[in-house]
């Protein structure tokens, strides 16, 4: 029996000669894999709807186990700004992969779905991509069982900075105890105060929050390290965004030299 449901397309991959598997994050059923016969053919009627990072209304057969099937689709949000901007698309793809990794398949999670939907909406509406990306990183950490204290030194409990982050101690070190970890991340002085603010901030509050590019790169480096070492995941788009950061740094250095 067919059902009507809403979902965001996470990805699609070829299956056999002309078919495809499409993963959706549905509002009603959580993340699920769908089989779409003949989707790789140019004339398939659903081809324009099953584009990753679009929100659609679907009609199809949803099975509790195994693959499900899509019969019809109607676009609710195409997110044109994301689709045409490689920078925004990279950040949206990263958030999509992180969302997918943070939840089990076939588990309804309306709050996570709404968070994902709002994140894409804000990116599309021009909210600062760096801020959306970082807040998603921070908000989803607890879903992987990582609870970090962004207010106190791990050694003495001091709440007064400057602070740095230690992977060895899995938290902050105040300046008095920096010598206890020679491999501390050596973050910029402004990084920890900013992440303290972001960790308690809702997505809707930072429409005009602009983060300096160098500071954003510093915070992404911090969150990449946390996800790699404490969570144990390395997403494909992490490397791509790091490459974009490196290219931006190189271009800035070239511009300085040419002045």
């Amino acid at each position: 029996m067919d059902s009507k449901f809403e979902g965001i397309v996470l990805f699609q991959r070829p299956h056999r000669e002309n078919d495809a598997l499409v993963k959706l994050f549905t509002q009603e059923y959580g993340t699920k894999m769908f089989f779409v016969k003949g989707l790789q053919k140019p004339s398939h009627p659903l081809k324009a709807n099953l584009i990753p990072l679009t929100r659609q209304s679907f009609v199809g057969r949803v099975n509790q186990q195994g693959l499900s099937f899509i019969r019809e689709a109607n676009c609710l949000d195409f997110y044109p700004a994301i689709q045409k901007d490689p920078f925004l698309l990279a950040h949206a793809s990263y958030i999509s992969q992180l969302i997918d990794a943070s939840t089990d398949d076939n588990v309804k999670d309306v709050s996570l779905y709404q968070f994902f939907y709002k994140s894409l909406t804000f990116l599309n509406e021009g909210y600062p991509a760096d801020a959306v990306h970082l807040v998603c990183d921070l908000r989803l950490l607890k879903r992987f069982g990582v609870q970090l204290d962004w207010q106190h030194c791990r050694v003495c409990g001091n709440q007064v900075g400057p602070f740095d982050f230690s992977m060895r101690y899995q938290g902050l070190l105040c300046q008095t105890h920096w010598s206890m970890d020679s491999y501390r991340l050596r973050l910029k002085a402004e990084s920890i105060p900013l992440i303290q603010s972001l960790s308690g901030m809702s997505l809707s509050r930072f429409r005009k929050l602009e983060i300096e590019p160098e500071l954003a790169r510093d915070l992404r480096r911090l969150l990449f390290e946390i996800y790699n070492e404490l969570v144990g995941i390395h997403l494909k788009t992490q490397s791509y965004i790091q490459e974009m950061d490196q290219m931006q740094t190189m271009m800035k250095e070239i511009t300085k030299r040419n002045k």
Side-chain angles (χ1 to χ4, degrees), residues 188-207:
K188 295 181 180 299
E190 307 92 336
S191 292
I192 296 302
L194 179 55
I195 210 165
Q196 288 172 332
S197 298
L198 290 174
S199 64
M201 188 179 290
S202 66
L203 282 170
S204 59
R205 287 179 53 196
F206 53 75
R207 184 177 183 87

Side-chain angles (χ1 to χ4, degrees), residues 99-112:
I99 290 278
D100 190 20
S102 74
T103 184
D104 293 328
D105 289 346
N106 306 311
V107 177
K108 181 178 179 179
D109 193 333
V110 176
S111 63
L112 184 61

Side-chain angles (χ1 to χ4, degrees), residues 8 10 21 69 75 83 104-105 126 128 139-141 182 209 227 230 246 250 256:
I8 298 170
L10 295 174
L21 297 176
F69 302 89
C75 187
Q83 298 295 336
D104 293 328
D105 289 346
R139 192 69 54 82
L140 294 174
L141 270 177
S182 59
L209 175 63
Y227 271 95
L230 303 186
Q246 291 167 2
M250 289 173 58
K256 280 183 179 180

Side-chain angles (χ1 to χ4, degrees), residues 224-237:
F224 284 164
E225 289 292 333
I226 289 172
Y227 271 95
N228 289 338
E229 297 296 327
L230 303 186
V231 178
I233 62 172
H234 185 92
L235 304 175
K236 292 180 180 178
T237 43

Side-chain angles (χ1 to χ4, degrees), residues 161-215:
F163 290 109
D164 198 0
F165 193 88
S166 166
M167 295 305 302
R168 177 182 176 185
Y169 288 91
Q170 298 185 14
L172 302 183
L173 292 180
C174 68
Q175 190 171 17
T176 303
H177 297 102
W178 283 355
S179 61
M180 297 180 68
D181 185 0
S182 59
Y183 296 101
R184 60 187 173 83
L185 295 186
R186 290 175 168 78
L187 299 168
K188 295 181 180 299
E190 307 92 336
S191 292
I192 296 302
L194 179 55
I195 210 165
Q196 288 172 332
S197 298
L198 290 174
S199 64
M201 188 179 290
S202 66
L203 282 170
S204 59
R205 287 179 53 196
F206 53 75
R207 184 177 183 87
K208 296 183 179 180
L209 175 63
E210 293 291 345
I211 302 176
E212 293 181 5
E214 289 186 9
L215 190 54

